[in-house]
Amino acid sequence: PPVVGPAHCLTPAPLLQALRRSVFKAVDQISNSDKTKRSANEKLKIIYCSRSSSPTRRLREEGELLSRMEEVAKTKNAEVILFEKKLDNGNMHTSSASLLKHVVDTVKLFRSASVIVGVHGASLANIAFARKSTLVIEMGF
């Protein structure tokens, strides 16, 4: 059947699945772990993908939203994790080891999330590494 919608934003599912498997395998080898399930006493993770450092699509009431998310998280034995684009002060000479660590940490974080919240855009690209059971809330403009 024909694909409906703009072709520039549709990545074939088999390609995404192969990418996920490859990344997960590499992360598991690097971190010497394949922990994907939460232990009974571990808090649920709610990730908020902030665009506060972006010039576009910033959420005006972000502070209010985060406060309310924290209130709800307390009632659910959960923690809210603020995920923001890390600006490296224009330093393009970051070591490959620190970049690799950042990628591994990011993949592990999104893989462990129960809920991911964010404004539509590139800030939500890491949902590609979330589990199928993760709830994703995308706010559009």
Side-chain angles (χ1 to χ4, degrees):
V3 176
V4 178
H8 69 277
C9 66
L10 298 175
T11 304
L15 180 60
L16 287 175
Q17 291 164 350
L19 171 69
R20 283 171 47 94
R21 282 191 303 272
S22 296
V23 170
F24 289 161
K25 183 178 179 181
V27 165
D28 291 343
Q29 288 173 345
I30 290 167
S31 63
N32 202 19
S33 147
D34 64 356
K35 181 182 173 190
T36 57
K37 293 187 179 174
R38 197 172 55 88
S39 66
N41 59 352
E42 187 178 354
K43 289 186 172 191
L44 296 170
K45 289 187 177 116
I46 302 170
I47 300 174
Y48 175 69
C49 299
S50 176
R51 292 187 56 92
S52 63
S53 63
S54 173
T56 61
R57 289 194 305 269
R58 290 188 354 213
L59 188 60
R60 199 172 330 158
E61 299 86 7
E62 183 173 80
E64 282 182 53
L65 175 64
L66 283 168
S67 294
R68 185 66 182 126
M69 287 174 65
E70 289 286 353
E71 289 173 20
V72 172
K74 287 178 187 175
T75 68
K76 304 294 182 187
N77 190 32
E79 65 178 318
V80 175
I81 299 165
L82 181 62
F83 184 82
E84 296 183 272
K85 179 180 178 182
K86 298 287 186 229
L87 298 176
D88 196 14
N89 296 327
N91 182 3
M92 298 303 289
H93 302 290
T94 304
S95 74
S96 58
S98 68
L99 287 174
L100 181 60
K101 182 181 181 337
H102 176 69
V103 170
V104 168
D105 290 347
T106 299
V107 170
K108 288 169 70 174
L109 175 64
F110 279 81
R111 193 176 182 184
S112 68
S114 299
V115 179
I116 301 171
V117 180
V119 175
H120 172 79
S123 66
L124 289 173
N126 289 307
I127 64 172
F129 305 116
R131 296 175 306 213
K132 289 180 181 181
S133 62
T134 301
L135 173 65
V136 176
I137 301 171
E138 180 179 24
M139 297 175 280
F141 276 79

